[in-house]
Amino acid sequence: CLCFFFFFQAEDGIRDPLWSRGLGDVYKRQVSTQSTWGFYFRMEKATDVLETSELADILNAKQKNVRIIDAAMFPPNDPRKGSEEYLKGHITGAMFFDLAKVVDASIPYPQMVPPNEVFIENAKKMKIRKTDLIVCYDHLGNLGGPRLWFLFKLFGAKNVKLLNGGLLKWKAEGRAMEAGDKPTEVSTLDPDTSDGYAYSKDTNQIVDLKYVYSIVPSLIAKSKDIFFVDARLPEKFNGTAPETKPGLRSGHIPGSINLSLIHL
């Protein structure tokens, strides 16, 4: 499930996709409290991040082949629904992508990465080609937007951007918004090409449960070759708070590190 776990190699560094925080300090402080491995993250500006001012300029210039995608989703204990919040207000021209439905329904767990045919079906329905400029955002700034950004990258989209600060920053700056289920056409589209919807999942970018089992001994031994990051709340990671989803055990995978989403 992409919401919870992320793999990275320390020497690759981590990019900073968010606004308003010095994430270099956040990453180093969080990791140093969870382990004694002493590795250092080199922080740099992410090329996949689009500033709100840049998106505004793109819309004002009426750039062609731009798709703005609202990926509103909320934690399990939040009563709000992404589809309802989208209807209440979204960036002018944005379409709603329902992350809760574009999943692998054959697996009895929530939000599993969808198979190619499911992703392609939804991309065609929304007319989002892999060659378009795809701008993803959400209503919290760091939940649905990054997940959707990752999914489009995973399936081979060539120009995907994450809106820095999401709807919170866009709205705070007084930029154009609208409500309802019929978004304004803010960008014209060139005719479809043969490879426009030729999405294909890169299975090298994700791992399965069998792989996770195989690396647990290395995680417990504090190997410096691979790290397993758990992005849940600290109390969920430590097992001191009950799980909101029925049937889930408390605690974390042995040897994993907690880098909570709320600190990003």
Side-chain angles (χ1 to χ4, degrees), residues 2-4 6 18 71-76 78 99 111 137-149 162 231 261 264:
L2 297 181
C3 289
F4 295 147
F6 301 88
L18 302 170
M73 67 181 301
F74 300 91
D78 191 319
L99 286 167
Q111 299 171 338
Y137 77 90
D138 64 43
H139 292 222
L140 297 178
N142 62 355
L143 190 58
R147 178 183 174 86
L148 185 60
W149 168 86
L162 180 62
L261 190 68
L264 304 182

Side-chain angles (χ1 to χ4, degrees), residues 94-161:
M95 301 177 289
F96 179 66
F97 192 104
D98 197 338
L99 286 167
K101 294 181 178 179
V102 187
V103 297
D104 188 343
S106 68
I107 302 177
Y109 304 107
Q111 299 171 338
M112 302 302 290
V113 175
N116 286 336
E117 59 272 18
V118 172
F119 191 84
I120 292 172
E121 177 186 357
N122 282 271
K124 283 184 175 180
K125 189 182 302 182
M126 299 178 70
K127 296 183 178 179
I128 308 172
R129 289 90 52 92
K130 61 185 296 185
T131 53
D132 294 333
L133 169 58
I134 304 169
V135 182
C136 306
Y137 77 90
D138 64 43
H139 292 222
L140 297 178
N142 62 355
L143 190 58
R147 178 183 174 86
L148 185 60
W149 168 86
F150 176 79
L151 280 178
F152 272 104
K153 298 278 285 187
L154 180 68
F155 281 89
K158 302 181 184 302
N159 193 14
V160 191
K161 304 291 185 181

Side-chain angles (χ1 to χ4, degrees), residues 45-238:
K45 174 68 176 178
T47 58
D48 287 338
V49 168
L50 190 72
E51 299 298 332
T52 50
S53 59
E54 293 174 315
L55 177 57
D57 289 344
I58 288 171
L59 295 178
N60 289 335
K62 301 187 182 303
Q63 182 173 317
K64 298 172 66 175
N65 304 314
V66 177
R67 312 305 276 158
I68 308 172
I69 315 299
D70 187 310
M73 67 181 301
F74 300 91
N77 58 347
D78 191 319
R80 290 176 293 178
K81 304 296 183 184
S83 57
E84 295 174 359
E85 294 303 311
Y86 167 79
L87 293 177
K88 293 177 182 178
H90 53 264
I91 293 175
T92 299
M95 301 177 289
F96 179 66
F97 192 104
D98 197 338
L99 286 167
K101 294 181 178 179
V102 187
V103 297
D104 188 343
S106 68
I107 302 177
Y109 304 107
Q111 299 171 338
M112 302 302 290
V113 175
N116 286 336
E117 59 272 18
V118 172
F119 191 84
I120 292 172
E121 177 186 357
N122 282 271
K124 283 184 175 180
K125 189 182 302 182
M126 299 178 70
K127 296 183 178 179
I128 308 172
R129 289 90 52 92
K130 61 185 296 185
T131 53
D132 294 333
L133 169 58
I134 304 169
V135 182
C136 306
Y137 77 90
D138 64 43
H139 292 222
L140 297 178
N142 62 355
L143 190 58
R147 178 183 174 86
L148 185 60
W149 168 86
F150 176 79
L151 280 178
F152 272 104
K153 298 278 285 187
L154 180 68
F155 281 89
K158 302 181 184 302
N159 193 14
V160 191
K161 304 291 185 181
L162 180 62
L163 185 64
N164 205 358
L167 188 66
L168 291 174
K169 189 168 186 284
W170 182 271
K171 190 174 181 179
E173 294 170 347
R175 302 190 186 277
M177 293 183 59
E178 62 183 355
D181 63 352
K182 292 180 172 55
T184 302
E185 291 290 340
V186 295
S187 178
T188 58
L189 300 179
D190 289 331
D192 288 343
T193 59
S194 58
D195 67 339
Y197 299 104
Y199 289 102
S200 181
K201 179 166 52 180
D202 181 0
T203 56
N204 291 322
Q205 299 298 317
I206 53 178
V207 298
D208 58 17
L209 187 59
K210 183 179 179 180
Y211 177 81
V212 175
Y213 280 136
S214 73
I215 66 169
V216 166
S218 295
L219 296 174
I220 294 174
K222 294 182 171 55
S223 168
K224 294 183 179 181
D225 295 326
I226 188 168
F227 305 97
F228 195 100
V229 178
D230 185 325
R232 295 174 301 157
L233 295 170
E235 54 267 31
K236 296 293 184 67
F237 179 84
N238 295 322

